Amino acid sequence: MTFLVIGAAGAQGGAVARRLVAEGHTVRGLTRSGRVPHGVEPVAGDLGDAEAVKAAFAGVTHASVTLPMVYEPDTVAAHVHHVRDAALAAGVRRLVFNTANRLPEATTQVAAFETRRWAVRALRSAGLPVVVLCPPVYLDNLAAPWVAGPLAAEGVLRYPLPADLPVPWLSHDDLAAATHAALVRDDLEGAVLRLGGPDVVTGDELAAAFGARHAAQDPDEFEAGLTMALGAPTAAVVAATYRWAAADRDLFAADPEVADLLGLRLTPLRTWIAAQPWATR
């Protein structure tokens, strides 16, 4: 078996690539920079280049796909079409598509949701053996300087979600474990799995686990800060997902059967916190 990880230089794809290497698999990583985790065969290329994507898929049996943080519909469509065509040509046995967010039941005007919803339809309708993973919010987001800084210096956990919203926060490592299971386990083709960590906590409970207090960050303030890192268009789309989540209390609803279906032992919240050097005040 040969595994391709699209986005292997990113936080999510990198975690997946490292997990696959640790499991002893032959792993190839497609990235724009060509930089990949240790043990991964690098393939420099852009999803916008159909020939580069086709070359990356050559000889591949299993693929993990996380799209870049691009939400312009025509660009996303081109990326997905290139993945679809290359995966079909390679005859992949399993393709795991990570939506990088939960998808609301109803259609929205939020590009981060709708471009990924469209991508799922496009890949599945092509007849590919797809498993879709829909994660909630990542614990690793809390390591961002604008979160970890105030947490360490002031004992305040600032995040753009309501203090009373229950969320099954998930780590990148557990995402990687779920992706590996979805790639290799039988009888999962066609499944859409709402991932979540083992502990469903409110913002107040999450902060308390760090020995801190929670302060819901204003989404406009969050967007302004994110603009400096990602640019205005991307920041606006990401902030829109948090505004939606604040109003849709079912978006992050936990599905405890998923871990059993994948055969996973997920990391308890306090175990994850204890392993983070930055989390010690």
Side-chain angles (χ1 to χ4, degrees):
M1 297 186 292
T2 298
F3 291 73
L4 172 65
V5 178
I6 292 180
Q12 299 172 72
V16 171
R18 288 189 294 272
R19 176 64 182 240
L20 294 174
V21 169
E23 294 288 343
H25 297 299
T26 299
V27 184
R28 183 182 300 167
L30 175 66
T31 72
R32 294 180 66 181
S33 65
R35 294 191 298 270
V36 294
H38 179 71
V40 177
E41 176 193 350
V43 179
D46 189 293
L47 285 178
D49 183 340
E51 290 304 313
V53 177
K54 183 178 180 180
F57 267 94
V60 164
T61 58
H62 298 70
S64 166
V65 179
T66 304
L67 297 178
M69 294 179 71
V70 175
Y71 305 108
E72 198 283 317
D74 288 344
T75 301
V76 174
H79 289 176
V80 173
H81 287 155
H82 295 161
V83 169
R84 176 199 65 191
D85 294 346
L88 287 170
V92 295
R93 302 180 209 164
R94 178 68 56 81
L95 187 150
V96 174
F97 181 72
N98 173 17
T99 62
N101 210 327
R102 291 288 182 81
L103 300 181
E105 293 294 333
T107 302
T108 73
Q109 297 300 314
V110 180
F113 297 144
E114 300 313 317
T115 55
R116 274 45 181 177
R117 194 192 310 275
W118 179 88
V120 169
R121 289 198 300 265
L123 294 172
R124 295 177 77 182
S125 65
L128 287 166
V130 178
V131 177
V132 179
L133 302 183
C134 300
V137 189
Y138 290 120
L139 281 164
D140 304 76
N141 293 357
L142 304 177
W146 51 88
V147 182
L151 181 61
E154 307 166 31
V156 177
L157 176 58
R158 292 194 180 93
Y159 206 79
L161 289 174
D164 64 345
L165 180 67
V167 177
W169 294 75
L170 184 75
S171 71
H172 286 160
D173 286 343
D174 282 347
L175 166 73
T179 303
H180 174 247
L183 282 165
V184 301
R185 291 179 75 90
D186 295 330
D187 303 324
L188 289 177
E189 185 176 324
V192 178
L193 305 177
R194 292 164 59 91
L195 299 179
D199 298 300
V200 182
V201 293
T202 65
D204 287 334
E205 291 166 338
L206 177 65
F210 282 95
R213 64 180 179 84
H214 183 270
Q217 186 179 26
D218 180 86
D220 292 341
E221 177 188 332
F222 172 73
E223 180 179 342
L226 208 59
T227 295
M228 299 175 64
L230 303 178
T234 300
V237 174
V238 174
T241 67
Y242 284 97
R243 293 188 182 96
W244 184 276
D248 180 358
R249 298 184 69 86
D250 293 327
L251 182 63
F252 297 134
D255 186 350
E257 295 182 359
V258 169
D260 290 338
L261 179 65
L262 294 174
L264 300 179
R265 288 187 128 190
L266 299 173
T267 309
L269 172 62
R270 291 185 181 274
T271 301
W272 183 87
I273 292 173
Q276 312 307 311
W278 56 267
T280 302
R281 293 183 57 205

